[in-house]
Amino acid sequence: MRSQALSALLFILLLTSCRSVKPRPGQDTPGVQSGTIAFAGPPGSVQSMDANLTTYSYVAITDGVISGLGTGTPPANAIQLPEGAAIYPGLIDSHSHAISLFVPTINDSTGNPFWLNLASVNVMLQPLCPPPSCPPQQQNCTVQSNSCFSPMTTQDQVINVLKNAKPNALGWVLGWSYEPSRLSCNNASYGFLCPNNFENANSQTALAQMDAIRDDVPMMVTSESGHIVYVNTKGLEQLNLCLPGNGSAKCYAPIFSPQAEQCVAKQGQLNEDLAVYAVSYILGLMNTHMRTQEDPLPVFRQLITASTQKYSQLGFTTVQEGAASSDVIAIYLAVAKAAPLPVRMAFLNFIQQPLSGSTYQKQIAIAADLREGLAHSDMFLAGIKLFADGSNQGYTGAMTSPVQYTNVNKPFTDTACFPQQPYNGEADMDANSLSQAVQWSHEKGLPVFIHTNGNLAQAHSISALTGNSQAGIRDVIVHFTMPTQEQVQSVAKASSIGVTFLMNDFYYYYQPLCEQLLQPSGTANMYPAAWAASSGLHMGLHSDTPVTPPSPLFSMWVASSRSVQAPAWMPALLPECQQNRSNQLISRLQALKAYTSDAAWLYNRDAPSKGVTPIGSLQNQYAGDLVVFSADPLNPATDLSTVKVLYTVHNGKIVYSDPTGSNPLIWPN
């Protein structure tokens, strides 16, 4: 967060919290349940997910760690599983941005939402809204509610919602999770073939398009990917960016590709770190508006509490905050200090500073101290987050031959902003910058997690990691969207590098990526989980929430079926894309490992080390984290879309309970 009203307070919170998280010998750790709790069922109902895939009939947890596993008589008072239920280790989220999940549900002081939900994907896993009743003169209306989901299907719907919106209590009109690649413009065309979306500036800049919708109040719209934000003139003025002609001493300067970012920012499109800054700025304003003397963090407390509860309902016991500034980490510590969270939090520290100068290295040193300070708490700093590039859907992933972007429009074809033509994406950090950041991080004992989508960015990331490997440090390539088979094998050979695959992205975005952005040749083996599995590569599956829904069973289903969404408003998938769709299938077991034992490996918490309780499998002295499913996901006859979470147990404490399975199913619509 970059709200100056918060920064001083949060820095103090960060320091004091870090000093206070080391427990004294014999001191109770917040969130750890004392005493013993046990679950029991028929033989084979407890799936350990250990190296031998051992099964049991009961599991016992004492004082927060597993104390017993067996097939004989269970402990007294063990909770008996209903018929068909199965126990697994608590699920581990290998990449998401938890604090952002429920942003559109936050109401202002008047009871109205700060943000309008413009998503075409049901990220928040809400019930569907009833069909809208359109007035005769309005053919593109939609239900606007922060308690149910109604997908945006056309650009006209988006425009109507923004045009008719009442400004929130901050005086802004704010739109959340807009995605032009999935919007139709007629029965046969969609996405970037439509002439009127904010990503197509051939006729008008995004600034002009936004001003045409609203010029009376500041307005901002975020992309679903999170890598691009669109603003009107009043919004651009309010954000106070360091642009030519703006000499304010307190303006915010772009870090990645500053000349290109400043150029497109003047046209109303904010890329990469400017997008992160803009969203953080608004969240800071929201919190300032809502805070009281009794609660200085009401908005952030609500976001963190709601998201971690939802993750717990889905069976997660470890959740990631995937690009956390020191301010965000301090907020989590403050919220958890008041009330322990139902999950363990893993932070990726994103240092929003240029590599030049000494500030970046100082921030790495602070991160190393924080990692040590959090070592025995229910939160941990997993590593440093680096961005090699942006989003393929937003044309900001860094590509190279033979993969080329197609249907590229202004501003990316504007030589004043992007002199290197034909345009094929932008690298946030090149190979040299990545290598330097990896080296500095490793010198402080910190792993790195590199965000990479384009094939050029992947090559840069692999080079930086293999050239700076260090014993005992495990690094992670996040997303790893389109590597070659040889690149996958080279990463596996390094043995100290893991990967994560944004499998849900395949379901929701394969069609526009295959048909419009990258063509079939560039998407034939997207998210190559099968190559990774056959190479012995440790991998995680993830949702990158709030980009896609944080549903682990859904991700497992996508990975084991390679299914693609067919929305009613989109045309049928082209045959040449259909034939590549089933490449890279993996088994349900491989997908489950990606949420348990393999995911624990990515965090270097798969075995006892330096007094840190391991996670990811059910073994004696491992963390007392488990999930009870209503049916066994590994049973081929089990329809994953019908499986419910009956219990989630974290550190020996039942944090979610639905023993009869009476709660509604949680499955993306």
Side-chain angles (χ1 to χ4, degrees):
M1 306 303 148
R2 290 296 162 200
S3 170
Q4 293 182 3
L6 286 173
S7 293
L9 167 66
L10 297 177
F11 186 70
I12 293 170
L13 284 171
L14 180 64
L15 292 179
T16 56
S17 296
C18 181
R19 291 169 184 155
S20 65
V21 292
K22 295 182 181 179
R24 300 183 300 275
Q27 177 184 2
D28 289 337
T29 303
V32 174
Q33 184 71 24
S34 60
T36 297
I37 184 174
F39 289 83
S45 58
V46 178
Q47 301 276 356
S48 72
M49 298 304 291
D50 64 11
N52 297 316
L53 300 178
T54 315
T55 63
Y56 303 96
S57 60
Y58 73 83
V59 54
I61 302 168
T62 302
D63 297 337
V65 298
I66 295 174
S67 56
L69 293 151
T71 57
T73 303
N77 300 320
I79 297 173
Q80 294 294 320
L81 300 186
E83 184 177 354
I87 296 176
Y88 281 84
L91 303 180
I92 301 171
D93 168 31
S94 57
H95 186 61
S96 69
H97 307 272
I99 201 171
S100 301
L101 175 57
F102 287 114
V103 166
T105 68
I106 304 296
N107 290 337
D108 62 26
S109 57
T110 67
N112 294 313
F114 282 102
W115 296 81
L116 304 163
N117 190 3
L118 303 180
S120 65
V121 174
N122 190 7
V123 173
M124 295 184 289
L125 299 169
Q126 296 174 312
L128 295 177
C129 296
S133 298
C134 291
Q137 71 277 11
Q138 187 177 342
Q139 299 302 314
N140 288 287
C141 67
T142 185
V143 174
Q144 269 300 304
S145 170
N146 62 358
S147 60
C148 62
F149 175 68
S150 181
M152 289 290 164
T153 63
T154 69
Q155 179 73 9
D156 287 340
Q157 279 184 332
V158 172
I159 291 172
N160 286 335
V161 168
L162 295 172
K163 186 175 291 186
N164 296 315
K166 177 183 177 182
N168 62 28
L170 303 176
W172 284 70
V173 169
L174 300 169
W176 187 257
S177 290
Y178 163 80
E179 181 46 65
S181 72
R182 287 169 48 88
L183 297 179
S184 67
C185 46
N186 54 53
N187 292 334
S189 191
Y190 73 96
F192 300 108
L193 298 181
C194 296
N196 63 333
N197 61 65
F198 305 146
E199 193 65 36
N200 185 338
N202 287 338
S203 299
Q204 291 187 89
T205 65
L207 191 73
Q209 293 182 64
M210 296 284 279
D211 281 343
I213 298 172
R214 298 293 290 261
D215 63 2
D216 56 329
V217 294
M219 183 168 67
M220 184 172 91
V221 171
T222 72
S223 68
E224 188 116 25
S225 72
H227 288 267
I228 296 178
V229 161
Y230 310 93
V231 292
N232 68 356
T233 298
K234 286 185 180 292
L236 191 61
E237 292 170 351
Q238 289 288 316
L239 291 173
N240 191 30
L241 305 177
C242 297
L243 304 176
N246 179 9
S248 169
K250 294 184 178 179
C251 63
Y252 179 80
I255 298 168
F256 305 130
S257 307
Q259 291 183 335
E261 286 202 30
Q262 287 176 326
C263 185
V264 294
K266 290 175 63 178
Q267 301 177 34
Q269 179 170 308
L270 311 182
N271 292 345
E272 301 307 307
D273 60 295
L274 289 186
V276 173
Y277 161 78
V279 174
S280 299
Y281 173 85
I282 294 295
L283 291 179
L285 290 182
M286 290 165 55
N287 192 76
T288 299
H289 172 78
M290 298 296 291
R291 71 182 181 184
T292 64
Q293 188 172 0
E294 293 75 22
D295 187 0
L297 300 170
V299 167
F300 300 120
R301 191 180 310 280
Q302 186 174 340
L303 289 173
I304 290 170
T305 301
S307 67
T308 55
Q309 287 176 348
K310 177 60 70 176
Y311 276 91
S312 181
Q313 292 169 13
L314 295 164
F316 284 106
T317 53
T318 298
V319 175
Q320 187 184 104
E321 191 55 63
S325 66
S326 58
D327 287 350
V328 169
I329 297 173
I331 289 169
Y332 268 96
L333 292 172
V335 171
K337 190 174 183 180
L341 302 179
V343 297
R344 178 182 298 101
M345 289 303 308
F347 299 116
L348 301 186
N349 187 199
F350 174 44
I351 301 172
Q352 207 162 341
Q353 297 287 340
L355 258 65
S356 58
S358 61
T359 304
Y360 196 94
Q361 286 180 274
K362 290 179 180 178
Q363 290 298 313
I364 289 179
I366 291 173
D369 289 342
L370 179 60
R371 180 179 169 91
E372 178 67 21
L374 292 174
H376 299 281
S377 79
D378 209 30
M379 300 183 177
F380 65 100
L381 196 145
I384 299 296
K385 177 68 174 288
L386 304 176
F387 285 90
D389 66 347
S391 159
N392 292 337
Q393 291 97 294
Y395 290 99
T396 55
M399 300 290 182
T400 190
S401 179
V403 183
Q404 302 288 323
Y405 282 125
T406 60
N407 300 308
V408 185
N409 302 304
K410 286 184 177 180
F412 299 116
T413 57
D414 184 349
T415 56
C417 297
F418 303 99
Q420 184 66 42
Q421 294 290 327
Y423 175 84
N424 211 31
E426 281 282 296
D428 290 346
M429 300 174 73
D430 60 18
N432 291 334
S433 298
L434 287 169
S435 182
Q436 183 66 83
V438 172
Q439 180 185 339
W440 288 339
S441 300
H442 283 185
E443 287 173 353
K444 293 295 183 180
L446 293 169
V448 297
F449 289 63
I450 304 181
H451 171 289
T452 166
N453 273 308
N455 60 340
L456 177 61
Q458 286 163 180
H460 289 168
S461 300
I462 293 171
S463 173
L465 293 176
T466 56
N468 293 279
S469 62
Q470 185 168 320
I473 295 180
R474 296 174 183 175
D475 300 307
V476 179
I477 302 176
V478 180
H479 301 329
F480 211 38
T481 309
M482 53 183 67
T484 64
Q485 190 167 14
E486 291 72 25
Q487 285 178 321
V488 171
Q489 291 169 347
S490 72
V491 171
K493 186 177 180 181
S495 75
S496 61
I497 305 172
V499 302
T500 69
F501 294 120
L502 176 48
M503 199 52 64
N504 296 6
D505 192 74
F506 183 87
Y507 178 79
Y508 290 110
Y509 293 100
Y510 175 73
Q511 182 170 5
L513 286 167
C514 182
E515 294 180 349
Q516 293 193 8
L517 281 92
L518 302 175
Q519 299 298 300
S521 61
T523 55
N525 289 290
M526 290 188 70
Y527 304 114
W531 286 347
S534 64
S535 299
L537 194 58
H538 294 280
M539 64 175 170
L541 303 179
H542 71 268
S543 63
D544 200 19
T545 299
V547 178
T548 69
S551 173
L553 291 175
F554 173 74
S555 298
M556 295 177 201
W557 171 71
V558 175
S560 58
S561 68
R562 300 286 281 193
S563 295
V564 175
Q565 191 185 34
W569 64 89
M570 299 270 278
L573 189 66
L574 293 177
E576 54 266 40
C577 294
Q578 186 71 257
Q579 66 186 9
N580 292 329
R581 183 182 62 79
S582 60
N583 292 355
Q584 302 298 334
L585 285 167
I586 61 173
S587 69
R588 288 190 182 184
L589 174 59
Q590 290 165 329
L592 269 165
K593 288 178 65 178
Y595 273 103
T596 53
S597 55
D598 260 11
W601 186 96
L602 298 178
Y603 288 129
N604 203 2
R605 291 190 163 221
D606 56 320
S609 175
K610 296 181 181 178
V612 174
T613 305
I615 58 177
S617 62
L618 301 179
Q619 301 183 55
N620 282 317
Q621 298 307 302
Y622 276 54
D625 293 355
L626 60 83
V627 55
V628 180
F629 291 119
S630 61
D632 190 347
L634 285 185
N635 185 337
T638 298
D639 179 350
L640 294 180
S641 69
T642 67
V643 177
K644 293 185 177 184
V645 172
L646 304 184
Y647 296 96
T648 303
V649 178
H650 175 51
N651 287 332
K653 180 180 181 181
I654 296 176
V655 290
Y656 174 72
S657 176
D658 180 25
T660 62
S662 58
N663 290 341
L665 277 165
I666 300 178
W667 188 262
N669 299 105

